[in-house]
Amino acid sequence: MKPVEIHTPLDQQTIKNLESGTMVALSGTIYTARDRAHQEFQKLLEAGKPLPFDPSGQVLYYAGPSPTPRGKVIGAVGPTTSYRMDPFTGLMLEAGIRGFIGKGKRSQQVREQLVQWGGVYFATFGGAAAFLHTRVVSSRLIAFPHLGPEAVYMLEVADFPIIVVNDIYNGDLYESAISG
Amino acid sequence: MADSRIINTTLIRDAIVQLIHEASFQLHPETRTTFIQMRDTEESGIARQTLDTLILNDDIAKAEQVPLCQDCGSVVVFLEIGQQVIIEGEQLNDAIHDAVAHAYEKYYLRKSIVADPLQRVNTGTNTPSFIHIDMVQGDKLGITVYLKGGGSENMSSLHMFRPTASEDEIIDYIVQTVRDAGPNPCPPLFLGVGIGGTADVAMLNAKKAVLRKPGSFHPVDYYRKLEEKILHAVNDTGVGPLGFGGRNTAAAVYIKEAATHIATLPVALNLNCHSLRYRGTIL
Ligand code: SF4
């Protein structure tokens, strides 16, 4: 199966073409954010302040990399379990984010929010963090350095392998897996 | 009385640093073989590609010295201390925590431990580790270091059955737990099942169960058959590698049973992810 190649930021047309189960090779800029970073984002937005980057059409990667060894771009960088970010996803979509990469199931509410706002939830290969580190071209810490591995990193990725789990048509790859 | 034997904690410390390194950067060869066997039984493109990716991940981790997973885990340490052993040097727990802090810094492993469960400030050292000690006969000291990721730990489960519950009721509970967890604990799973004991013993046995020698079978025929039955039932869910669908939801099922009270039948589940990371040695 040849993956569909897409670039960030995501536009409407790209999102429309993505269906649950589609393999995708993603290139461009993505932003890491886990539990604590989402809390910080929420505080900023509620105070009427901007996020540390322009969120329009952008993609969040639920990940906290291992420390960068000397001479490398980044350490191991696989996805963390996504449901912990469910309570924040509506807010992120409202702010303009259109893609989320993680692993594991999302709530019914998040699935509805994705349909409503036109966003996509992707999974990548959980636990294949050494492999995924080879698809990261550059990384830069851009916010909340005090959070350590939970800080926000801007990553430049090339052919980062992801799979559409929840599309804008209410499809769900994980559900099809156990009902098929 | 048998002769005593002195072991200095510097030896224990050095051993633990090395075990953490081995566990973090390379799968057991038997685990890798299991991945290859599972890949060959899969038909769907996504399932095959997922298992190929996990095999490739092992190659890259080893060659580039990047950890297998960014979640480098809680460090769970099991010690089997022979009764004739005299431990000299530092306080034992301190020596172990020291080893963990040193290894996590030296090998660029992610530090994932917060000092308090509610106030949640990262200790920055991946300590404390979680230590379990069993006293055994002899003059040796066995050490097993087990690295456990949070995503997989979060899918743990305990159910206290009626003592008259049937085998099928227990299997149904296990299948339901694995199906509900779906992709979250990064299947294919190494499923540890602790049966019997008290609630805490069952949970601990669910952890110890997955540390059985890779590729070995349960010594008791009855349990070996039950493990096979559970494995089939779990694989019939269709969850598959990383939940993308397929035949291999679990790579293996390992039961560890214990005596229990006439009124109880605890069953504890450890849904260990595909990244089964542990190493052991004997001093
Ligand atoms: S469940 Fe295991 S393989 Fe998956 S992210 Fe956590 S530690 Fe890594």
Side-chain angles (χ1 to χ4, degrees):
Chain A
M1 224 180 319
K2 209 177 141 26
V4 177
E5 295 183 6
I6 66 172
H7 270 264
T8 60
L10 305 180
D11 59 38
Q12 285 267 312
Q13 195 48 49
T14 305
I15 290 170
K16 278 190 186 153
N17 289 339
L18 296 174
E19 279 181 43
S20 165
T22 309
M23 310 278 289
V24 176
L26 179 75
S27 299
T29 304
I30 61 176
Y31 300 89
T32 69
R34 293 173 46 107
D35 314 58
R36 300 279 299 281
H38 276 78
Q39 271 179 335
E40 298 292 330
F41 288 164
Q42 183 174 33
K43 275 190 228 157
L44 287 173
L45 292 169
E46 281 173 359
K49 295 192 184 136
L51 294 182
F53 57 92
D54 176 6
S56 344
Q58 288 301 350
V59 174
L60 294 183
Y61 182 21
Y62 301 143
S66 64
T68 308
R70 219 165 300 149
K72 289 200 180 291
V73 164
I74 197 162
V77 61
T80 193
T81 320
S82 307
Y83 73 84
R84 301 195 316 269
M85 271 55 76
D86 283 354
F88 305 98
T89 305
L91 193 66
M92 293 300 110
L93 284 160
E94 201 179 325
I97 303 286
R98 286 296 173 265
F100 305 86
I101 304 171
K103 67 162 174 117
K105 292 184 273 193
R106 308 311 300 266
S107 65
Q108 185 55 37
Q109 191 188 18
V110 166
R111 288 171 58 180
E112 284 163 16
Q113 287 163 339
L114 291 168
V115 173
Q116 181 194 341
W117 292 96
V120 183
Y121 170 57
F122 306 92
T124 184
F125 297 105
F131 162 69
L132 290 171
H133 112 284
T134 65
R135 302 297 171 94
V136 177
V137 180
S138 73
S139 93
R140 190 155 67 82
L141 194 157
I142 60 162
F144 321 131
H146 62 285
L147 297 183
E150 300 208 55
V152 175
Y153 292 85
M154 184 173 94
L155 309 182
E156 199 65 34
V157 296
D159 292 330
F160 197 82
I162 53 180
I163 300 170
V164 181
V165 174
N166 297 118
D167 55 26
I168 57 169
Y169 311 105
N170 202 27
D172 186 319
L173 172 63
Y174 294 137
E175 244 175 44
S176 335
I178 51 173
S179 63
Chain B
M1 211 185 98
D3 286 343
S4 56
R5 182 173 160 241
I6 295 173
I7 297 181
N8 196 283
T9 50
T10 53
L11 277 182
I12 299 172
R13 184 180 183 277
D14 292 350
I16 289 178
V17 171
Q18 195 184 337
L19 294 172
I20 290 173
H21 179 251
E22 286 170 24
S24 300
F25 294 92
Q26 198 182 355
L27 294 172
H28 279 114
E30 294 86 349
T31 306
R32 189 188 165 90
T33 307
T34 307
F35 286 179
I36 296 169
Q37 285 163 353
M38 289 193 290
R39 194 258 328 269
D40 293 342
T41 65
E42 290 288 357
E43 279 155 19
S44 93
I46 294 186
R48 289 178 70 92
Q49 191 184 334
T50 300
L51 288 160
D52 278 331
T53 303
L54 299 184
I55 296 163
L56 180 60
N57 189 60
D58 184 42
D59 294 334
I60 294 172
K62 185 179 167 213
E64 299 207 23
Q65 288 294 290
V66 169
L68 287 159
C69 187
Q70 80 290 337
D71 185 344
C72 303
S74 301
V75 182
V76 186
V77 179
F78 294 98
L79 296 180
E80 289 191 339
I81 306 179
Q83 293 217 106
Q84 288 154 247
V85 172
I86 294 173
I87 295 172
E88 219 179 58
E90 262 184 287
Q91 209 277 327
L92 180 60
N93 285 10
D94 289 348
I96 295 171
H97 297 325
D98 260 17
V100 171
H102 180 72
Y104 273 66
E105 194 55 38
K106 179 171 181 191
Y107 300 118
Y108 296 92
L109 301 173
R110 200 183 78 186
K111 292 104 187 151
S112 311
I113 303 297
V114 295
D116 180 281
L118 296 180
Q119 297 171 61
R120 309 202 70 85
V121 177
N122 197 309
T123 60
T125 55
N126 214 54
T127 64
S129 48
F130 304 100
I131 304 167
H132 303 283
I133 297 178
D134 286 318
M135 296 305 295
V136 296
Q137 280 194 344
D139 66 354
K140 302 266 191 289
L141 190 150
I143 308 174
T144 303
V145 166
Y146 172 44
L147 311 180
K148 187 72 195 296
S152 135
E153 185 69 2
N154 277 343
M155 297 297 117
S156 305
S157 178
L158 170 74
H159 190 81
M160 305 302 283
F161 282 89
R162 279 176 292 106
T164 52
S166 69
E167 217 178 87
D168 283 345
E169 282 175 74
I170 294 173
I171 295 176
D172 283 350
Y173 155 69
I174 296 174
V175 168
Q176 196 56 46
T177 305
V178 169
R179 182 183 303 159
D180 288 349
N184 295 6
C186 291
L189 305 172
F190 292 88
L191 181 58
V193 185
I195 306 182
T198 44
D200 51 326
V201 168
M203 210 71 245
L204 190 59
N205 277 340
K207 279 211 164 55
K208 285 184 177 174
V210 301
L211 308 177
R212 189 198 291 170
K213 194 175 167 331
S216 67
F217 294 105
H218 197 292
V220 181
D221 208 43
Y222 172 77
Y223 282 109
R224 189 174 57 74
K225 288 194 179 121
L226 183 57
E227 286 177 352
E228 264 173 38
K229 228 168 148 178
I230 296 170
L231 182 63
H232 279 122
V234 161
N235 283 341
D236 279 344
T237 58
V239 168
L242 294 181
F244 300 143
R247 292 171 185 257
N248 295 284
T249 304
V253 174
Y254 298 122
I255 296 175
K256 193 166 170 59
E257 72 283 6
T260 194
H261 186 279
I262 48 171
T264 70
L265 173 43
V267 177
L269 302 179
N270 169 17
L271 279 64
N272 202 103
C273 51
H274 62 72
S275 201
L276 177 61
R277 290 164 291 175
Y278 72 92
R279 286 293 189 282
T281 192
I282 295 172
L283 298 180

